[in-house]
């Protein structure tokens, strides 16, 4: 069990640019979740996958956001035309049962 | 929709003392789980303790225990013999027992353990 990894750990971008984050879950975990956490707040659910199928998306996930999990392994979260309001920590979590394992997160700063 | 409320934004405790963090939630569900997660500064979130709603017995994990009051929709965390390494943000979280199993988090309590 090597844990959940996320890359990059930090991303600084200019408004209007596209960014992509990657999450590598624990290998036997079939469920993968993306959350967004703004400073001083609790994480908020964005979307989740069971294997390769994206089964639910939050209303927080605007049309500029897209997530994939090809082959049910790693997942990517892309934000197009970034806005300053997208600045946050993006957390990935995976699980097989009821206990989520979180990655270290990707901190996005949009200038 | 579920909501989770943590009414204490910040708390402090002396090393070796006991501290209790509060959490209330609102749901119409009968079958669910409750969790406390710890997020140390600049480090990833880790699970501290979990409670199944159908279990009346309060969960314990070493120095961590909960007081689960289902009727009152209250789920507090007690940390005994506080250690400096307990300094962190603590998040209470709710999970419905359904297909999605996503977490709904409270706003967090920042705990500072003082030497």
């Amino acid at each position: 069990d090597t844990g959940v990894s996320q890359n990059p750990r930090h991303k600084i971008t200019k408004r209007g640019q596209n960014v992509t984050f990657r999450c590598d879950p624990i290998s036997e975990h079939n469920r993968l979740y993306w959350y967004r956490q703004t400073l001083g707040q609790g994480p908020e659910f964005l979307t989740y996958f069971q294997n390769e199928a994206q089964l639910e998306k939050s209303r927080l996930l605007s049309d500029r956001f897209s997530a994939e999990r090809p082959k049910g392994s790693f997942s990517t979260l892309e934000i197009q035309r970034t806005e300053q309001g997208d600045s946050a920590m993006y957390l990935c979590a995976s699980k097989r049962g009821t206990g989520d394992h979180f990655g270290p997160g990707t901190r996005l700063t949009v200038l | 929709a579920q909501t989770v409320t943590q009414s204490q934004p910040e708390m402090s405790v002396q090393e070796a003392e006991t501290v209790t963090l509060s959490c209330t939630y609102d749901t119409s569900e009968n079958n669910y789980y409750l969790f406390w997660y710890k997020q140390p500064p600049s480090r990833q979130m880790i699970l501290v303790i979990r409670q199944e709603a159908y279990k009346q017995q309060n969960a314990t994990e070493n120095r961590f225990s909960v007081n689960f009051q289902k009727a009152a929709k209250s789920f507090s965390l007690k940390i005994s013999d506080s250690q400096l390494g307990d300094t962190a943000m603590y998040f209470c979280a709710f999970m419905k027992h359904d297909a999605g199993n996503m977490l709904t988090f409270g706003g967090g309590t920042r705990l500072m353990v003082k030497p």
Side-chain angles (χ1 to χ4, degrees), chain A residues 1-110:
Chain A
D1 179 357
T2 57
V4 179
S5 61
Q6 292 187 245
N7 289 287
R9 295 291 306 276
H10 303 273
K11 179 70 177 179
I12 299 174
T13 191
K14 293 182 179 179
R15 188 175 53 190
Q17 298 294 306
N18 299 343
V19 295
T20 300
F21 311 140
R22 176 177 170 128
C23 171
D24 286 90
I26 294 171
S27 58
E28 65 267 24
H29 287 184
N30 58 346
R31 293 193 176 192
L32 185 149
Y33 299 78
W34 285 99
Y35 292 86
R36 183 172 71 186
Q37 184 179 23
T38 52
L39 202 60
Q41 302 297 316
E44 296 173 293
F45 167 75
L46 291 179
T47 188
Y48 95 95
F49 293 83
Q50 180 154 326
N51 300 312
E52 67 276 9
Q54 186 175 18
L55 296 184
E56 189 162 343
K57 295 191 284 188
S58 160
R59 340 174 252 170
L60 293 175
L61 214 66
S62 75
D63 291 345
R64 297 183 297 105
F65 288 70
S66 63
E68 294 182 342
R69 192 184 182 196
K71 302 179 183 178
S73 55
F74 70 92
S75 176
T76 58
L77 177 67
E78 181 183 16
I79 309 175
Q80 296 182 327
R81 305 181 302 282
T82 52
E83 302 173 355
Q84 288 185 325
D86 297 331
S87 295
M89 177 76 85
Y90 290 84
L91 298 172
C92 175
S94 71
K95 68 183 172 189
R96 190 172 181 86
T98 56
D100 290 73
H101 295 253
F102 281 84
T106 294
R107 182 169 296 282
L108 173 66
T109 302
V110 182

Side-chain angles (χ1 to χ4, degrees), chain B:
Chain B
Q2 287 65 233
T3 58
V4 179
T5 303
Q6 295 179 248
S7 59
Q8 306 150 316
E10 294 187 0
M11 292 193 72
S12 64
V13 63
Q14 292 295 132
E15 195 175 8
E17 297 291 306
T18 295
V19 64
T20 298
L21 308 184
S22 301
C23 172
T24 58
Y25 59 95
D26 189 24
T27 185
S28 59
E29 302 290 327
N30 192 50
N31 194 7
Y32 53 87
Y33 297 84
L34 294 162
F35 304 84
W36 279 97
Y37 280 88
K38 170 185 177 181
Q39 189 175 41
S42 301
R43 296 183 61 186
Q44 65 202 76
M45 197 166 312
I46 57 175
L47 177 64
V48 174
I49 197 166
R50 87 182 78 186
Q51 174 82 41
E52 292 95 332
Y54 67 87
K55 289 186 177 180
Q56 292 188 340
Q57 186 173 7
N58 289 325
T60 62
E61 288 287 342
N62 301 312
R63 298 183 295 109
F64 299 88
S65 62
V66 298
N67 183 4
F68 173 48
Q69 301 290 326
K70 190 172 183 179
K73 296 180 182 174
S74 170
F75 183 62
S76 61
L77 174 70
K78 185 171 81 171
I79 306 174
S80 303
D81 185 26
S82 297
Q83 300 176 358
L84 296 179
D86 295 334
T87 292
M89 283 289 290
Y90 286 82
F91 293 98
C92 178
F94 173 99
M95 185 183 79
K96 278 195 304 183
H97 186 64
D98 68 1
N101 289 160
M102 65 283 291
L103 294 165
T104 300
F105 286 88
T109 296
R110 184 178 303 279
L111 176 67
M112 173 74 72
V113 180
K114 298 179 178 179

